[in-house]
Amino acid sequence: FTGSAFGSAAIWQYESLKSRVQTYFEEARADWLDKIRPQKRGDFRKQVNSWWNNLTEGQRTVTGIIAANVFVFCLWRLPGMRRIMFTYFTSDPSSRALCSPMLLSTFSHFSLFHMAANMYVLWSFSSSIVSLLGCEQFMAVYLSAGNV
């Protein structure tokens, strides 16, 4: 799994760089359109965009991870989902599902305090680690570390 995570991260990193180069040249050509295009309306949307644009790349990456963790945490609270959660979101060697829980358990927290502490620590070092490794390699490390 770890090899697949880092191999996928390398491909993602290459595609991301290729996309950024293409976007740069497309924006250079379409720059004159910005001057004639009408501005979007809505204060809430501007506030969200302003908040998002002020985040570092690491914080933007971790925001998605935090959202996934909160979503899975909420699923644990639904009584009808308990059987599915125990089967696919907890690593258990005696379970029928052996591979998917290795990935899905990285997003699973049963205790609110446990999740809050983990997400706080993740948020606090996200900027420095993503600037060091890059977004793609950080995701590979996160997914691989959850399988330990």
Side-chain angles (χ1 to χ4, degrees):
F1 177 79
T2 301
S4 297
F6 281 99
S8 298
I11 293 168
W12 181 21
Q13 200 167 18
Y14 167 77
E15 292 296 329
S16 178
L17 179 63
K18 187 172 106 177
S19 175
R20 277 188 263 155
V21 169
Q22 287 174 341
T23 302
Y24 173 79
F25 287 115
E26 288 171 2
E27 285 178 358
R29 277 185 270 142
D31 209 17
W32 62 275
L33 278 176
D34 288 339
K35 296 174 185 169
I36 60 173
R37 191 177 299 157
Q39 294 294 321
K40 296 178 181 176
R41 296 181 186 171
D43 287 336
F44 179 73
R45 187 177 190 176
K46 286 180 185 177
Q47 289 173 347
V48 170
N49 282 336
S50 175
W51 170 78
W52 183 257
N53 292 331
N54 287 330
L55 294 177
T56 64
E57 183 182 9
Q59 290 171 332
R60 283 188 216 132
T61 303
V62 170
T63 300
I65 294 172
I66 291 172
N69 279 280
V70 169
F71 178 72
V72 171
F73 179 77
C74 291
L75 289 177
W76 274 107
R77 301 295 169 260
L78 299 174
M81 293 296 294
R82 285 284 169 97
R83 174 179 254 161
I84 292 171
M85 298 305 289
F86 276 114
T87 303
Y88 294 105
F89 286 85
T90 56
S91 290
D92 181 10
S94 65
S95 175
R96 288 179 289 134
L98 294 177
C99 294
S100 58
M102 290 175 60
L103 171 65
L104 297 175
S105 66
T106 60
F107 301 100
S108 184
H109 298 84
F110 191 75
S111 162
L112 178 63
F113 178 75
H114 178 220
M115 183 187 69
N118 283 355
M119 295 306 105
Y120 173 75
V121 170
L122 190 64
W123 181 269
S124 66
F125 76 82
S126 64
S127 296
S128 57
I129 197 75
V130 169
S131 68
L132 180 68
L133 296 176
C135 170
E136 302 83 4
Q137 297 297 325
F138 169 74
M139 288 298 295
V141 168
Y142 178 81
L143 294 173
S144 298
N147 297 315
V148 176

